[in-house]
Amino acid sequence: MATLKELAAKDELFSGGHRLCSGCGIPPIVRLLLRSAGSPVVATSATGCLEVGTSIYPYTAWRIPWIHSAFENAAATISGIESAYRAFKKKGRIPADKEIKFLALGGDGGTYDIGFQALSGALERGHNFLYVCYDNGAYMNTGIQRSSATPLGSATTTSPAGAKRPGKQEWRKDLTRVVVAHNIPYAAQASPHNWRDLEGKARKAFNVAGPAFMNIISPCPLGWYSKPEDSINAARLAVDTCYWPLYEVENGILRVTYRPKEKKPIADWFKIQGRFKHLFKPENSHLLDETQKRIDAEWQRLLDMDGKAVF
Amino acid sequence: MAIVTGKQVGLTGNSAIAYAMRQIDPDVCAAYPITPSTGIIEEFSSYYADGQVSTELITVESEHSAMSACVGASAAGARVMTATSSQGLALMWEMLYIASGMRLPVVMTVVNRALSAPINIHCDHSDSMGARDSGWIQLYSETVQEAYDNLLQAVRIAEDPRVLTPAMVCMDGFITSHAVENITLLADGEVKGFIGDYKPGRSLLDTDNPITMGAMTLQDVYMDFKHEQSMAIAGAKEVVVEVGSDFGRRFGRHYGLMECYRLEDAEAAIVVLNSAAGTTKVAVDELRKKGKKVGLLKPRLFRPFPYAEIAAALKNVKAVCVLDRADSMNGFGGPLFSEVRSALYGLASVPKVMGRIFGLGGRDYTVEHSTAVFEGLYRIIETGRMEELTGYLKS
Amino acid sequence: MKKEKEGERDVPPGGVIREAGSAHGYSTGGWRKLRPVVDSEKCTNCLICWVMCPDSAVVVKDGKMIGFDLEHCKGCGICAAECPDKVKAIKMEEEG
């Protein structure tokens, strides 16, 4: 397990001067990821906050080779890069002892929704890469529209808190489970507030042979209507309320990597975010109750599976 | 598969392309099946399965991902190829612009097929014409031999450091892709010697010199990038000529920007792409026997568009019919018509130019159709009147 | 190909940026309303502030937190919020 002193001694491969929002949850995730690879990393980002914020010409925050191609194709793009790497290794154009890790990054829009097909295809084909979804629960880059990752009841610009429809009316897609169903060597959920857990998972994910996937919750002050200084705490509460359980599935065995000492009510997480404000009105209490019930049930399901084979 | 007679080999267009791809032996091929180009990737997959290529073959889950993987691999510095048709090319549309905007020399065979709706698997040029402004070089091929030769040349054209622009080689679905023709193949060593090694000036796999590709550009530079790209593709014309001449010197088959068939003294001419040119040549020969001064212009390079050369070739013709195997759905004929007519505008004496749409969705184009077009052109020459500027060929 | 066109600016083909981390030369310090100030007497160099900083703006040298890169710090206040309760060595102050 690396200490922060050891991690801080490694090169900073993600520079300041990027244009991501103040208090954005994405950079701490990326900074940890790049330090956990252990080898040079080549990365691609789907269109989204991370891409736009880090690559406004002629400025780039990346000190690794990085490419942005389009919104829905991060997994397909990395497939091509990784295949070129294998071709070059075979032909001796890259020395046999040189190892490169491949990383694809996308937000929830670029991963759960528009990039889902490309992700599924790349996982099935078995490319050796890590896909990381930074899940902030909506299309934040285009101005907070609902995605299939948006929580039930959350107000977005396309699921506003209306009189008849108070926020998003559907439960979110459980993408991590869908990815697990691809039978890849490694899949996990992580959170930036728990850097030790995140870094350890990323190290495993980079080092398995074949595809790996990490779904990482990424607080967004803009779209969550939360205070920038609360971002890391918001991630912590998502985990302590068990809205965002930390777990991994390694070679088919599920392991819950963190159990809150005291499981907090979902309202604790909701109340620091403006996007859930309307759920505290009496007429919307059923949404709060429904959320709590489902979270409890899903957390219990995970606990029941802890240490067991997922299939 | 191959039927060998002496030096000539009987091959379908798809087989010839797959054979050329085996000889080129690209680093990466990412592809998805679609009629009528599927055969190319099937045969290439056989070469791959038998270990006859060193390529990494990525059998992706869609054409969009095919081109996305090609973009990734090409950005990594690999020599990259693919093939598609119709809806597949349409699904790639977004990625075509990204490949060309990033100046990635991907080479793709497009086996021309109609676009839905209604669905139709047969030949027309709606697919590649829909991609005509995507910043790709487009070479059109009348025959299996031309498709084979064009593909080899496309690699060199696209990868030329002055060009660095992706290229598509088009041939007619079924008519060329599935018909067996006798062609002359090059030896593997000749192909290797002709195309040379690809030496990319940048690679994502050079982790010691990390580059950022696909950056966000704003109002201050986007237009400059487009201007630079525009000049590069315009300049590709010279490289097409250069590469065509070298190909001719080496192998005896000469290629330029277009083929002019009995056009020198022609009064009436047809302009048409791909396999229909072959049919038109038969009509030209028959009418020439009857003393009619008719000829054919078959553009080989459509992107960039060799407007000056086309105008020069047609300047003494009295009446021209441009046959389009695609409709621009603009009430003004097809794309080849619009561009040829525009190219002629600056001439001191402009020929009469009409446009006809033909052969959509695999509709036959026969010598009789061609002859009827020439007769129509003669009526225009004789009466000085054009009754219909654009329209569909009666068939 | 030709470079003689008037008004054309020289741009690298394909928009490639060859200077890795060039964003370091772009200042985002002006976004800041509050400035982080560390009390080095109290600081235990746990480096939580460093790992949580979205702007790579906590400067660490030889394992010690030595201050902030104010060219890039956007003043989000995560460092102050996440500084452990028993330590609380970072305060956010109004920009003067």
Side-chain angles (χ1 to χ4, degrees):
Chain A
M1 213 35 94
T3 64
L4 286 182
K5 279 191 174 51
E6 287 161 357
L7 291 175
K10 294 187 180 185
D11 291 338
E12 182 61 72
L13 298 171
F14 187 85
S15 87
H18 59 72
R19 260 64 86 74
L20 288 157
C21 297
S22 178
C24 177
I26 307 167
I29 296 170
V30 175
R31 293 176 60 222
L32 272 170
L33 288 171
L34 297 183
R35 283 181 162 81
S36 60
S39 300
V41 177
V42 176
T44 185
S45 294
T47 308
C49 294
L50 177 61
E51 166 265 321
V52 172
T54 59
S55 73
I56 299 179
Y57 189 89
Y59 299 104
T60 177
W62 302 92
R63 293 193 176 109
I64 57 167
W66 177 89
I67 184 170
H68 159 249
S69 164
F71 196 1
E72 67 279 58
N73 67 355
T77 306
I78 207 78
S79 300
I81 301 169
E82 186 259 359
S83 298
Y85 167 72
R86 281 187 284 123
F88 287 178
K89 275 228 154 163
K90 208 159 54 184
K91 295 175 183 189
R93 279 171 65 180
I94 290 177
D97 59 348
K98 169 144 187 171
E99 201 177 349
I100 299 176
K101 304 288 186 190
F102 298 94
L103 173 66
L105 295 146
D108 47 289
T111 308
Y112 286 64
D113 290 349
I114 198 168
F116 180 62
Q117 175 185 314
L119 172 64
S120 179
L123 296 177
E124 182 273 331
R125 291 191 300 273
H127 296 280
N128 198 0
F129 75 113
L130 166 59
Y131 192 104
V132 171
C133 173
Y134 58 92
D135 181 346
N136 50 28
Y139 290 85
M140 300 311 185
N141 190 44
T142 43
I144 324 166
Q145 293 80 32
R146 66 89 85 183
S147 76
S148 62
T150 302
L152 177 75
S154 178
T156 71
T157 55
T158 51
S159 64
K164 204 169 170 191
R165 295 182 185 84
K168 193 194 174 197
Q169 299 295 291
E170 301 79 25
W171 193 256
R172 60 186 289 277
K173 185 192 283 183
D174 188 347
L175 183 69
T176 310
R177 271 175 89 183
V178 179
V179 167
V180 166
H182 286 72
N183 270 316
I184 56 171
Y186 190 81
Q189 284 197 168
S191 162
H193 86 280
N194 192 337
W195 63 269
R196 195 177 273 121
D197 182 79
L198 192 161
E199 197 270 341
K201 284 172 176 167
R203 202 135 33 87
K204 273 189 197 174
F206 272 122
N207 285 298
V208 294
F213 174 83
M214 287 178 71
N215 204 354
I216 306 180
I217 194 163
S218 183
C220 172
L222 179 84
W224 291 13
Y225 298 89
S226 54
K227 293 178 188 159
E229 67 268 31
D230 279 349
S231 283
I232 296 298
N233 193 42
R236 185 179 292 118
L237 282 170
V239 172
D240 282 342
T241 56
C242 298
Y243 170 80
W244 193 263
L246 302 186
Y247 70 101
E248 63 185 5
V249 179
E250 195 175 0
N251 297 317
I253 308 295
L254 186 143
R255 201 169 68 85
V256 175
T257 60
Y258 171 81
R259 293 176 187 232
K261 285 191 190 78
E262 178 203 352
K263 181 169 168 291
K264 294 188 171 159
I266 192 62
D268 284 11
W269 186 52
F270 279 6
K271 71 187 177 199
I272 63 163
Q273 303 174 61
R275 61 176 174 159
F276 297 117
K277 198 169 139 198
H278 54 288
L279 298 186
F280 293 95
K281 289 183 185 167
E283 65 269 30
N284 294 329
S285 63
H286 62 286
L287 285 171
L288 205 57
D289 296 343
E290 189 188 333
T291 302
Q292 188 64 61
K293 270 190 202 131
R294 267 189 91 154
I295 286 174
D296 292 347
E298 296 203 2
W299 175 239
Q300 191 54 51
R301 186 188 63 81
L302 271 181
L303 292 179
D304 292 346
M305 290 179 74
D306 192 15
K308 297 186 184 134
V310 287
F311 297 114
Chain B
M1 280 294 177
I3 304 164
V4 184
T5 42
K7 273 194 156 181
Q8 295 242 301
V9 184
L11 286 180
T12 64
N14 280 350
S15 292
I17 290 292
Y19 194 85
M21 286 173 70
R22 179 193 65 70
Q23 295 181 305
I24 294 163
D25 192 14
D27 300 309
V28 174
C29 170
Y32 189 82
I34 183 166
T35 304
S37 66
T38 313
I40 295 171
I41 300 308
E42 286 176 336
E43 284 195 40
F44 189 74
S45 299
S46 293
Y47 293 131
Y48 174 76
D50 291 338
Q52 293 188 51
V53 288
S54 63
T55 308
E56 284 295 323
L57 177 64
I58 320 177
T59 46
V60 283
E61 81 298 332
S62 75
E63 287 91 353
H64 192 282
S65 282
M67 189 47 66
S68 298
C70 286
V71 163
S74 185
R79 179 175 272 164
V80 182
M81 302 185 82
T82 186
T84 196
S85 294
S86 182
Q87 308 305 121
L89 186 63
L91 188 57
M92 282 182 187
W93 196 79
E94 178 192 33
M95 297 314 302
L96 297 177
Y97 284 74
I98 291 174
S100 62
M102 285 198 197
R103 308 288 299 283
L104 300 171
V106 177
V107 174
M108 169 163 64
T109 302
V110 174
V111 181
N112 289 112
R113 167 186 152 182
L115 285 175
S116 298
I119 188 169
N120 174 292
I121 60 166
H122 294 284
C123 175
D124 72 36
H125 300 165
S126 310
D127 50 4
S128 59
M129 283 299 162
R132 69 186 181 273
D133 294 342
S134 63
W136 282 57
I137 291 161
Q138 288 192 334
L139 293 167
Y140 283 79
S141 324
E142 178 188 330
T143 60
V144 174
Q145 184 76 64
E146 286 187 14
Y148 173 81
D149 292 348
N150 278 343
L151 193 72
L152 302 178
Q153 293 176 60
V155 173
R156 245 184 67 181
I157 295 162
E159 291 174 0
D160 188 293
R162 295 164 292 175
V163 178
L164 279 182
T165 292
M168 58 180 87
V169 171
C170 307
M171 68 166 156
D172 284 347
F174 292 107
I175 301 165
T176 312
S177 67
H178 284 60
V180 175
E181 287 177 25
N182 281 336
I183 74 161
T184 304
L185 297 169
L186 303 184
D188 291 358
E190 289 177 313
V191 170
K192 283 266 178 287
F194 176 71
I195 61 172
D197 290 331
Y198 173 44
K199 296 187 186 72
R202 67 213 173 179
S203 162
L204 290 171
L205 297 175
D206 181 2
T207 54
D208 296 329
N209 297 290
I211 52 169
T212 283
M213 295 183 73
M216 169 90 175
T217 60
L218 301 177
Q219 300 92 323
D220 58 339
V221 284
Y222 177 86
M223 193 157 165
D224 301 298
F225 282 118
K226 286 293 144 189
H227 191 183
E228 201 275 343
Q229 183 191 346
S230 175
M231 289 194 298
I233 193 165
K237 192 176 75 179
E238 289 167 37
V239 179
V240 170
V241 171
E242 227 175 86
V243 170
S245 307
D246 186 46
F247 191 89
R249 260 195 308 280
R250 287 173 189 243
F251 312 121
R253 292 190 295 279
H254 295 268
Y255 287 88
L257 301 172
M258 66 191 88
E259 183 188 350
C260 297
Y261 187 76
R262 307 187 83 166
L263 197 60
E264 318 77 50
D265 61 342
E267 298 169 324
I270 286 178
V271 179
V272 71
L273 296 165
N274 275 8
S275 68
T279 313
T280 307
K281 284 174 188 171
V282 177
V284 167
D285 289 346
E286 284 181 3
L287 289 168
R288 282 272 175 181
K289 276 184 213 152
K290 293 176 187 164
K292 299 280 188 189
K293 290 184 174 177
V294 295
L296 161 77
L297 190 153
K298 178 189 77 180
R300 173 182 180 239
L301 182 71
F302 184 69
R303 282 291 179 267
F305 189 66
Y307 64 95
E309 292 81 358
I310 285 177
L314 294 173
K315 69 178 193 305
N316 297 322
V317 176
K318 290 177 181 159
V320 178
C321 178
V322 182
L323 292 175
D324 269 285
R325 208 162 192 150
D327 188 341
S328 286
M329 295 292 171
N330 59 356
F332 191 49
L336 188 61
F337 164 74
S338 298
E339 301 206 7
V340 169
R341 191 165 182 263
S342 165
L344 299 179
Y345 187 76
L347 290 177
S349 156
V350 180
K352 299 268 189 207
V353 189
M354 65 174 186
R356 291 294 179 272
I357 310 288
F358 80 105
L360 299 188
R363 179 70 58 90
D364 262 353
Y365 170 75
T366 63
V367 176
E368 288 70 36
H369 292 127
S370 191
T371 307
V373 169
F374 281 123
E375 283 165 0
L377 289 173
Y378 267 102
R379 275 197 300 279
I380 293 169
I381 294 168
E382 282 153 19
T383 63
R385 281 191 308 119
M386 195 192 313
E387 279 160 21
E388 199 188 15
L389 179 64
T390 62
Y392 274 52
L393 189 69
K394 285 168 191 63
S395 55
Chain C
M1 225 179 163
K2 289 168 197 151
K3 292 280 180 191
E4 78 276 17
K5 294 270 167 66
E6 208 177 310
E8 182 209 342
R9 273 179 282 175
D10 204 21
V11 290
V16 175
I17 303 175
R18 290 188 185 269
E19 190 193 340
S22 57
H24 192 76
Y26 185 84
S27 178
T28 51
W31 296 22
R32 204 171 47 241
K33 286 188 184 136
L34 298 173
R35 167 199 294 258
V37 178
V38 64
D39 180 344
S40 41
E41 299 285 302
K42 286 187 186 172
C43 176
T44 62
N45 295 304
C46 70
L47 308 188
I48 288 286
C49 56
W50 168 81
V51 75
M52 299 302 171
C53 177
D55 293 296
S56 311
V58 175
V59 186
V60 173
K61 205 177 168 193
D62 302 326
K64 303 253 187 297
M65 189 281 191
I66 59 165
F68 298 99
D69 167 5
L70 293 174
E71 277 300 307
H72 298 120
C73 169
K74 293 172 188 149
C76 68
I78 285 177
C79 52
E82 291 301 315
C83 186
D85 286 342
K86 287 179 198 158
V87 183
K88 286 294 169 209
I90 301 171
K91 282 200 171 66
M92 300 303 289
E93 293 180 357
E94 290 282 335
E95 278 288 344

